[in-house]
Amino acid sequence: AQKVTQAQTEISVVEKEDVTLDCVYETRDTTYYLFWYKQPPSGELVFLIRRNSFDEQNEISGRYSWNFQKSTSSFNFTITASQVVDSAVYFCALSELGAGNTPLVFGKGTRLSVIA
Amino acid sequence: DSGVTQTPKHLITATGQRVTLRCSPRSGDLSVYWYQQSLDQGLQFLIQYYNGEERAKGNILERFSAQQFPDLHSELNLSSLELGDSALYFCASSVGSEREQYFGPGTRLTVT
């Protein structure tokens, strides 16, 4: 069965620091998707990135970057030069494709607080 | 704005009652998903519909049911409500099951 673990429950950083949010996943499937979502204090869930299991290239989008490593079953998320607006709960999620496109399984989330 | 709409935004009701939550997916999205977010259980998948048909079921209680209508909007019905049903209920939609899901703003249900 699939599982997503976000070991860091809460992280607090000072503005402009870099921060990495860890995500470790478990799946028996060879074909799957990994996602990151952001939930700001307003409550909505905002899609950040989707990565398929065949693409291990790291991705950078502005201050955000993602490091996908199949060898360690990890999909970590780094925010460079953090800002107060980055304060939110971040969720990592997994979807398997092998048995017919399973819905998202979420980790418990990491609450990031960026202090000015 | 994700393009997914949910109504109502807040709902306060008493134990034993029945409520209906409504969701309109993004234009063109055929898949609709329902999730429950509570402090103790986290984000849990409830049920998925694809073009009107039930596609997958998660940890959905028998007291809960859902449907997707021909215009693709979906409703989640919660009956015989208990205090433990208090949670944030999200609807999400996607083009297909393997694509990213876009979430609505959620309905916060409080059962008193």
Side-chain angles (χ1 to χ4, degrees):
Chain A
Q2 66 266 44
K3 185 180 176 183
V4 175
T5 301
Q6 295 179 256
Q8 305 149 308
T9 308
E10 291 193 37
I11 299 176
S12 188
V13 299
V14 176
E15 205 171 19
K16 296 183 185 170
E17 283 185 358
D18 298 347
V19 58
T20 296
L21 309 182
D22 298 332
C23 172
V24 173
Y25 62 92
E26 293 176 31
T27 176
R28 292 182 193 163
D29 226 333
T30 55
T31 309
Y32 51 90
Y33 286 94
L34 295 163
F35 303 80
W36 276 94
Y37 283 85
K38 173 182 179 179
Q39 187 173 35
S42 52
E44 74 273 23
L45 278 162
V46 179
F47 165 74
L48 295 177
I49 190 171
R50 163 179 165 265
R51 169 69 70 212
N52 76 53
S53 52
F54 296 113
D55 183 1
E56 282 196 75
Q57 278 195 345
N58 291 332
E59 175 138 350
I60 298 175
S61 176
R63 295 184 297 107
Y64 294 172
S65 62
W66 290 270
N67 183 350
F68 176 29
Q69 292 197 341
K70 279 177 89 166
S71 60
T72 56
S73 297
S74 65
F75 186 43
N76 297 337
F77 173 30
T78 297
I79 302 175
T80 304
S82 59
Q83 299 176 2
V84 172
V85 293
D86 296 326
S87 297
V89 180
Y90 291 86
F91 292 94
C92 181
L94 166 71
S95 174
E96 294 174 336
L97 266 69
N101 302 338
T102 62
L104 295 176
V105 171
F106 285 88
K108 295 286 187 188
T110 297
R111 182 178 299 277
L112 173 66
S113 298
V114 182
I115 303 161
Chain B
D1 186 349
S2 67
V4 179
T5 61
Q6 287 187 250
T7 56
K9 212 167 181 181
H10 301 277
L11 201 47
I12 301 175
T13 189
T15 54
Q17 295 299 304
R18 173 189 167 95
V19 297
T20 297
L21 312 183
R22 185 188 167 101
C23 167
S24 291
R26 293 187 322 157
S27 176
D29 285 358
L30 299 179
S31 274
V32 169
Y33 309 78
W34 287 97
Y35 292 85
Q36 179 194 59
Q37 185 178 32
S38 60
L39 280 173
D40 51 344
Q41 297 290 329
L43 264 164
Q44 298 248 311
F45 165 69
L46 296 178
I47 196 164
Q48 177 198 357
Y49 280 84
Y50 179 82
N51 203 19
E53 304 274 329
E54 183 184 300
R55 177 63 67 93
K57 233 172 179 175
N59 299 320
I60 188 166
L61 299 171
E62 281 192 19
R63 301 183 284 108
F64 296 1
S65 64
Q67 54 184 325
Q68 186 180 27
F69 295 87
D71 67 352
L72 300 179
H73 90 271
S74 177
E75 292 180 357
L76 179 67
N77 300 297
L78 315 176
S79 61
S80 303
L81 285 167
E82 302 174 359
L83 296 177
D85 297 328
S86 296
L88 191 50
Y89 290 85
F90 283 107
C91 167
S93 74
S94 69
V95 171
S97 297
E98 76 285 3
R99 299 304 303 271
E100 58 272 19
Q101 296 175 26
Y102 289 90
F103 283 75
T107 293
R108 183 167 295 283
L109 173 67
T110 303
V111 182
T112 61

